Amino acid sequence: MFSGILRSWILLLLLPVQLMAQNGVFVGTVKDKETQEAIVGAIVALEGTALGAQTDTGGMFRITGITPGSYNITVQYVGYRTVRLSNIQASNGNANTLAIELERASSELKEVVVKTYTYGKRIETPLSVQSLTAEEIKSNPGGNYDISRVIQALPGVGGTGGSAARNDLIIRGGAPNENVYYLDGIEVPQINHFSTQGASGGPQGILNVSFIQDVSLSTSSFAARYDNALSSVLQFRQKEGNPEKLQSNLRLSSTEFAATFEGPISKKTTFLASARRSYLQYFFSLIDLPIRPDYWDFQYKVTHKINDKTTINAIGLGAIDQFSFAAPKNSDLEKEYIIRSLPTINQWNYTVGFTLRHLVKNGYYNVALSRNMFNNQLDKFEEASFGDESKRTFRSRSQEIENKLRFDVNKSVNGWKYSYGISGQYVKYNNDLYSVIRKQVTDTAGNVLQPGLTISYLSAIDFWKYGVFGSVTRRLLHDRLTMTLGVRTDMNSFTTDGNDPVSAFSPRLSASYALSDKVNLNASVGRYAKVPIYTVLGFRDSTGSLVNKDNKYISCLHYVAGVEYLPARSLRITAEGFYKQYANYPVSALYNISLANQGADFGAIGNERTNSNGEGRAYGFELFAQQKLVKNMFITASYTLFWSEFTGSNNIYIPSSWDARHLVSLIAGYKLRRGWELGVKYRLSGGAPYTPYDLVASRINYLSLGQPVSDYTRINQERLPWFNQLDLRIDKKINFRKSTLDLFLDFQNIGFAKNVSKDYYTFKRNPDNSYITTDGQPVQQDGSNAIPVLIPNINQTVIPAIGIVFEF
């Protein structure tokens, strides 16, 4: 399959290219950022050309006759700060739909028309915010159109140590479940396929980049309207469908096929819809790996303009995932370990929602109504004896269901900007769990070497979550100083102190001072709260009691200060220091380790008794530089130095599983002539801590569990070597009269770097797959006559992705 796509790719490159037609189109709207009112008469211009347009009475514009390529766009209107959009792609295949917001300025007219802002000033969150455009995501080397993977290149964002195989977002030393995700104002709990329950990470993103206009990541100073965030808020802003005609794009690569359609339904209604199907299972079969991942995903957005004041959006996102195993043709110890150590996975999830925005005097209000559901089925059997109930070691049948409503009012009056609102959720969680923690093991004489421990329960809970929030922003000292004060509190009807508004009381204050037009000083302090994950809340002990109802809201206090330097309109340099202090973190009662160390494995976390007596801290600083598209080149570079430490019940701080200390990222892209583009990305991170194996317990339990046992008395006392990876991407765009063909080659780890993860533990085997023993007899259940072996887990693989994108 891969070779066939490669031959087709080469043949297409050799085809004679027609003269480039000038059929590119930009359509969109320009609105007031604070009131969402349409701006009439705004000038939208393409830099370096004579092309442009003026918005009509509905704030809409249309620019036609554009030569295909990348453009910087300036948008200006009297009394507003001029905005510059960078690296906006025009093609003959699809019109590019843009939604642009302008911010009012109180400066004098002569200042307003001269200043241009590529990096817009964010009022509520003036620091710790990074953004990416859709084009930056699409062209990201090694990203393979996966938004979650692209985010890992931003400052302060790391992945799972020693591996680039998963999309876990480790932000400023926090665990993967400390992040929240919003799609057009609707919270989306799962953004990855094969998601780890309780942590949200996974190996492949769900979101379709063809829907996305831009992405913003806030790593502190969160707006008060967002609940349950401890480390970040990731906002995905989707574009609207083409209001003029039906258009499509098809993407075929070595791992998947995706189809996206958009267009008008009526004069007031547009749509976007997509479906994607993977064929990774065939690829892994071809290279004789025993895993068989298989997934579908679907996404849609419908926008209806009821009248000039009211707009309603309907959005949906869903995925179907299956992860199974097949016997390899040529087995080895590593493949056998994989089959025995991982569970089979059957998952599906969806999020559907409606948002209504109604304009009122000096502002607008939003109503967001949504429902999301996550269905997770996990199975594991001793010696990979799939279907043999007598060999079952793990079973989970769980569902998480949330029904959410949020109402917020946003206004700007006499220099004051304020917002307030309420939110409510009705939550249902159920789990049918059977988990063998360890089997009873006896020696040949029948003496018990290890007592058995099994967790088994059927749990179903439902409860309410509710919150109120508000914030106020004021500009002072002739717009040089911007102050924002926000407050939020959340409550629930389930936990012991859930109805205490003080336990999750979350005030936050941020300030930004402009020393000059090019230098801003920023600082913030805030307290943020998160309810424990549902797998913790729904756990029942052997008596059937919900023993974790006494768990408290996890809290995190952020202190952040930094400087922003804008030496040129397309160049931004920032430096920030941060300190995060955690309290009430759940700690495993069985192993006495913080749940902050879990979440990078497949399956689920939290199905155990926990105590809310853990603490944590993460601190460090970040350097970041971003050069938007100038003279056909763009560059992003960052360096983060940080420490991440958490305690168990003993109050002793130890490095967390995410304490890599150093994160380096460099991305560069260059747009050549004749539709060629070249991009490179380099990532470097320090060695992540890991917990060594308990060799005695591992020998005893390996046959029944299929995996070794970690020595939690030495939690995270070892470190992996440093991780590094160089990725390369090459694009060739061919524009025909009314269509565009994008051919791409994407290589991960093209530098053949050796990246090391924790060793595999297994027993030696004969060529016929039977165990080698010290006495020549069948292997004993306690492994006493087996021969343990540690297999180095080194990945030096170059992963190529090749494909085409056809727009028409």
Side-chain angles (χ1 to χ4, degrees):
M1 180 179 296
F2 181 85
S3 60
I5 296 176
L6 179 60
R7 286 194 297 269
S8 302
W9 199 91
I10 295 173
L11 286 172
L12 287 167
L13 282 181
L14 297 176
L15 287 174
V17 181
Q18 300 180 19
L19 292 175
M20 190 175 290
Q22 297 178 332
N23 291 326
V25 177
F26 290 151
V27 296
T29 57
V30 180
K31 297 180 179 180
D32 184 301
K33 186 174 182 178
E34 296 180 355
T35 66
Q36 293 297 296
E37 292 277 1
I39 297 179
V40 181
I43 303 298
V44 184
L46 274 61
E47 293 182 4
T49 75
L51 298 176
Q54 191 171 26
T55 55
D56 61 17
T57 54
M60 300 186 67
F61 68 89
R62 187 173 192 268
I63 305 174
T64 60
I66 306 172
T67 301
S70 293
Y71 292 89
N72 296 328
I73 300 175
T74 57
V75 186
Q76 62 180 19
Y77 186 69
V78 174
Y80 288 80
R81 299 173 183 266
T82 298
V83 166
R84 184 173 188 260
L85 307 180
S86 181
N87 199 9
I88 307 300
Q89 188 72 30
S91 72
N92 289 345
N94 287 174
N96 200 335
T97 306
L98 305 171
I100 303 168
E101 296 178 339
L102 297 185
E103 185 181 342
R104 290 182 180 271
S106 60
S107 307
E108 297 178 5
L109 177 61
K110 64 180 182 180
E111 295 179 300
V112 175
V113 297
V114 201
K115 295 179 184 176
T116 303
Y117 293 82
T118 299
Y119 301 95
K121 189 73 173 177
R122 302 178 193 275
I123 302 300
E124 289 184 274
T125 55
L127 76 170
S128 303
V129 177
Q130 312 297 343
S131 62
L132 294 168
T133 66
E135 186 61 24
E136 289 170 329
I137 296 169
K138 291 176 183 178
S139 61
N140 188 279
N144 198 22
Y145 294 91
D146 189 336
I147 299 174
S148 302
R149 188 157 296 175
V150 175
I151 295 298
Q152 291 183 349
L154 292 176
V157 184
T160 305
S163 173
R166 288 176 57 94
N167 288 341
D168 304 284
L169 296 182
I170 313 302
I171 297 179
R172 289 183 171 177
N177 64 9
E178 296 178 15
N179 314 305
V180 295
Y181 313 101
Y182 282 85
L183 185 66
D184 284 348
I186 297 292
E187 186 178 359
V188 181
Q190 276 80 36
I191 63 169
N192 289 296
H193 289 283
F194 309 105
S195 182
T196 302
Q197 189 168 14
S200 79
Q204 175 67 45
I206 296 175
L207 293 169
N208 184 347
V209 69
S210 297
F211 280 54
I212 303 300
Q213 175 156 314
D214 56 51
V215 179
S216 66
L217 173 69
S218 303
T219 52
S220 191
S221 189
F222 313 134
R225 62 171 54 87
Y226 303 120
D227 67 317
N228 243 26
L230 296 180
S231 282
S232 80
V233 175
L234 191 57
Q235 300 175 71
F236 304 95
R237 189 165 65 118
Q238 299 183 112
K239 65 180 185 179
E240 295 181 2
N242 188 336
E244 300 178 342
K245 67 171 186 176
L246 178 67
Q247 64 184 34
S248 309
N249 77 69
L250 306 177
R251 186 172 78 246
L252 174 67
S253 76
S254 50
T255 59
E256 63 187 20
F257 173 74
T260 303
F261 302 91
E262 62 174 290
I265 296 177
S266 67
K267 289 184 178 181
K268 292 185 176 183
T269 309
T270 63
F271 82 95
L272 288 144
S274 74
R276 179 171 56 163
R277 173 76 160 94
S278 82
Y279 37 84
L280 276 171
Q281 66 274 28
Y282 306 118
F283 177 74
F284 286 134
S285 175
L286 185 66
I287 62 176
D288 199 29
L289 279 179
I291 58 175
R292 296 292 183 269
D294 182 14
Y295 63 81
W296 287 82
D297 58 52
F298 311 91
Q299 193 169 342
Y300 69 83
K301 177 180 180 179
V302 177
T303 301
H304 177 65
K305 190 174 182 179
I306 299 175
N307 53 47
D308 290 342
K309 299 288 186 180
T310 309
T311 301
I312 188 170
N313 289 301
I315 72 166
L317 180 69
I320 302 171
D321 303 328
Q322 292 182 325
F323 185 91
S324 58
F325 301 97
K329 296 176 183 177
N330 299 298
S331 186
D332 58 31
L333 289 179
E334 183 175 344
K335 293 176 183 178
E336 292 299 327
Y337 175 85
I338 291 172
I339 293 174
R340 286 158 174 76
S341 64
L342 297 175
T344 60
I345 302 172
N346 283 278
Q347 291 182 354
W348 54 261
N349 69 80
Y350 68 80
T351 299
V352 294
F354 296 90
T355 61
L356 183 143
R357 173 166 290 178
H358 180 70
L359 307 188
V360 295
K361 184 178 180 181
N362 299 320
Y364 59 94
Y365 65 76
N366 293 315
V367 179
L369 177 66
S370 67
R371 175 183 171 90
N372 55 264
M373 183 172 180
F374 178 50
N375 186 86
N376 193 25
Q377 298 184 20
L378 306 172
D379 293 282
K380 193 176 175 185
F381 296 87
E382 182 179 331
E383 282 296 294
S385 303
F386 303 112
D388 184 348
E389 289 299 321
S390 66
K391 298 292 185 70
R392 180 181 289 278
T393 59
F394 187 83
R395 180 194 66 240
S396 178
R397 303 288 185 269
S398 67
Q399 293 181 328
E400 298 178 3
I401 305 170
E402 295 176 321
N403 301 280
K404 304 175 183 178
L405 175 65
R406 188 182 71 250
F407 174 78
D408 59 81
V409 177
N410 306 266
K411 287 197 172 186
S412 182
V413 180
N414 296 326
W416 291 87
K417 181 181 178 181
Y418 62 91
S419 64
Y420 57 89
I422 59 173
S423 62
Q425 296 183 34
Y426 176 59
V427 176
K428 296 181 71 176
Y429 170 77
N430 56 73
N431 193 7
D432 179 3
L433 182 78
Y434 173 83
S435 178
V436 177
I437 304 301
R438 57 178 181 263
K439 281 195 171 182
Q440 177 174 299
V441 178
T442 60
D443 60 17
T444 55
N447 299 311
V448 176
L449 301 177
Q450 171 184 273
L453 176 61
T454 298
I455 295 175
S456 180
Y457 63 84
L458 179 64
S459 184
I461 61 174
D462 65 291
F463 60 96
W464 291 89
K465 297 196 294 186
Y466 24 84
V468 296
F469 57 89
S471 69
V472 59
T473 300
R474 177 66 173 173
R475 284 178 169 163
L476 305 166
L477 305 178
H478 305 289
D479 270 3
R480 287 192 174 276
L481 177 63
T482 302
M483 301 283 293
T484 297
L485 174 65
V487 66
R488 179 180 185 94
T489 188
D490 290 279
M491 293 166 282
N492 73 80
S493 62
F494 182 81
T495 59
T496 304
D497 61 353
N499 280 315
D500 177 9
V502 177
S503 62
F505 183 67
S506 305
R508 71 266 336 247
L509 175 67
S510 65
S512 177
Y513 183 75
L515 287 177
S516 67
D517 292 340
K518 296 183 177 181
V519 180
N520 297 301
L521 299 179
N522 305 306
S524 71
V525 59
R527 183 180 188 266
Y528 309 100
K530 172 182 171 61
V531 71
I533 54 180
Y534 298 139
T535 50
V536 166
L537 297 181
F539 174 78
R540 294 178 186 267
D541 66 7
S542 58
T543 68
S545 301
L546 292 165
V547 293
N548 289 332
K549 292 188 71 171
D550 60 349
N551 274 218
K552 303 178 183 297
Y553 275 91
I554 308 167
S555 69
C556 188
L557 188 60
H558 288 214
Y559 301 93
V560 185
V563 59
E564 178 184 49
Y565 178 46
L566 305 170
R569 64 179 183 174
S570 296
L571 177 60
R572 177 177 181 241
I573 301 172
T574 65
E576 287 189 7
F578 60 90
Y579 186 91
K580 297 160 61 175
Q581 182 69 54
Y582 294 87
N584 303 329
Y585 224 102
V587 173
S588 167
L590 180 62
Y591 299 114
N592 191 32
I593 63 170
S594 174
L595 263 60
N597 288 300
Q598 301 181 17
D601 295 322
F602 292 96
I605 66 170
N607 293 310
E608 57 183 314
R609 174 69 171 114
T610 61
N611 300 305
S612 287
N613 55 3
E615 297 181 352
R617 61 193 180 200
Y619 52 94
F621 72 91
E622 300 168 352
L623 298 175
F624 178 67
Q626 185 176 33
Q627 170 71 65
K628 292 287 189 178
L629 184 66
V630 173
K631 295 182 179 179
N632 297 320
M633 188 172 185
F634 58 90
I635 300 175
T636 297
S638 68
Y639 170 68
T640 305
L641 173 64
F642 72 100
W643 289 260
S644 174
E645 302 168 326
F646 286 85
T647 74
S649 299
N650 55 11
N651 295 322
I652 298 175
Y653 281 96
I654 59 173
S656 77
S657 298
W658 329 114
D659 184 50
R661 302 285 172 90
H662 302 274
L663 298 173
V664 177
S665 175
L666 174 65
I667 301 174
Y670 190 76
K671 296 182 180 293
L672 301 151
R673 295 182 179 181
R674 301 183 181 275
W676 288 93
E677 297 181 19
L678 178 67
V680 294
K681 177 173 68 178
Y682 180 71
R683 284 186 296 154
L684 174 71
S685 69
Y690 72 92
T691 302
Y693 297 129
D694 182 329
L695 298 181
V696 174
S698 294
R699 179 191 284 261
I700 293 173
N701 289 279
Y702 177 74
L703 289 177
S704 61
L705 300 182
Q707 61 187 26
V709 176
S710 295
D711 184 355
Y712 290 117
T713 64
R714 296 188 291 158
I715 179 76
N716 289 338
Q717 289 187 9
E718 303 290 339
R719 281 188 181 269
L720 298 171
W722 283 51
F723 167 87
N724 78 100
Q725 181 169 301
L726 177 65
D727 303 328
L728 172 69
R729 183 181 174 98
I730 303 171
D731 284 80
K732 167 64 175 175
K733 290 182 172 65
I734 303 173
N735 282 277
F736 303 100
R737 186 170 177 270
K738 292 185 178 181
S739 61
T740 298
L741 192 63
D742 182 359
L743 315 173
F744 65 88
L745 283 169
D746 197 328
F747 298 94
Q748 296 183 45
N749 197 31
I750 197 170
F752 293 89
K754 291 184 178 180
N755 291 310
V756 180
S757 297
K758 190 176 178 180
D759 290 343
Y760 296 135
Y761 177 101
T762 186
F763 292 161
K764 283 187 177 182
R765 293 174 180 266
N766 290 302
D768 65 357
N769 219 23
S770 62
Y771 289 107
I772 300 174
T773 58
T774 57
D775 55 9
Q777 299 299 311
V779 65
Q780 297 294 325
Q781 183 62 32
D782 63 359
S784 58
N785 63 342
I787 302 176
V789 60
L790 291 175
I791 307 172
N793 187 0
I794 301 174
N795 183 9
Q796 199 178 3
T797 306
V798 176
I799 302 177
I802 182 171
I804 60 175
V805 180
F806 183 51
E807 299 179 358
F808 59 97

